[in-house]
Amino acid sequence: MNHYETVFILNPVLSDTQIKETVKKYEDFLTTRGAKMVSKEDWGLKKLAYPIQNKKSGFYHLFEYTVDGEHINPLEVEFRRDERFMRYLTVALDKHAISWAERRRVKLKAKA
């Protein structure tokens, strides 16, 4: 089981319910393939550095999870097929990135 982090940007014209449904769909996609969700974060609507599909903002989300590497490609194929996604990035985390992500989560909980 490898540790991964996926950040994706959803189209800003989606309603709150559509965003929640989309996030839930892909969370279920991962968990049905044996992934264990470590963390999920909703970063909200943020301005983009440059326009994507003539949009200047997007809804950012982060998934941190552990899963076998063979399930990453099907996930990214689903991202490409879904028009609600503007961009996505999946990164395999090493031991240093895992500890940094853990410290970041603790810091965020302390703020809240």
Side-chain angles (χ1 to χ4, degrees):
M1 297 280 261
N2 296 329
H3 206 106
Y4 293 97
E5 188 174 80
T6 299
V7 176
F8 54 90
I9 306 171
L10 295 172
N11 200 319
V13 299
L14 299 174
S15 69
D16 285 340
T17 56
Q18 289 173 321
I19 291 168
K20 289 176 185 172
E21 288 171 358
T22 304
V23 171
K24 179 73 173 144
K25 175 184 174 184
Y26 288 95
E27 181 182 353
D28 291 344
F29 182 89
L30 285 168
T31 54
T32 57
R33 284 159 178 74
K36 180 183 172 219
M37 297 301 283
V38 176
S39 173
K40 295 181 299 181
E41 294 179 22
D42 175 8
W43 293 347
L45 184 67
K46 298 212 177 268
K47 186 177 177 190
L48 302 173
Y50 55 89
I52 301 172
Q53 302 171 356
N54 294 324
K55 309 281 189 298
K56 295 183 180 179
S57 61
F59 290 102
Y60 282 70
H61 285 272
L62 172 113
F63 284 170
E64 188 179 336
Y65 52 94
T66 58
V67 71
D68 289 327
E70 63 197 30
H71 300 296
I72 297 301
N73 195 32
L75 174 69
E76 292 188 346
V77 167
E78 289 298 316
F79 283 162
R80 279 187 225 115
R81 288 181 179 162
D82 196 336
E83 62 190 25
R84 297 173 286 195
F85 286 85
M86 294 168 57
R87 290 284 191 276
Y88 63 89
L89 178 66
T90 301
V91 179
L93 302 178
D94 63 359
K95 65 181 181 179
H96 303 292
I98 293 169
S99 66
W100 181 84
E102 205 170 291
R103 287 193 310 269
R104 183 178 50 82
R105 281 194 308 274
V106 169
K107 189 187 238 183
L108 284 174
K109 285 182 183 177
K111 278 186 176 180

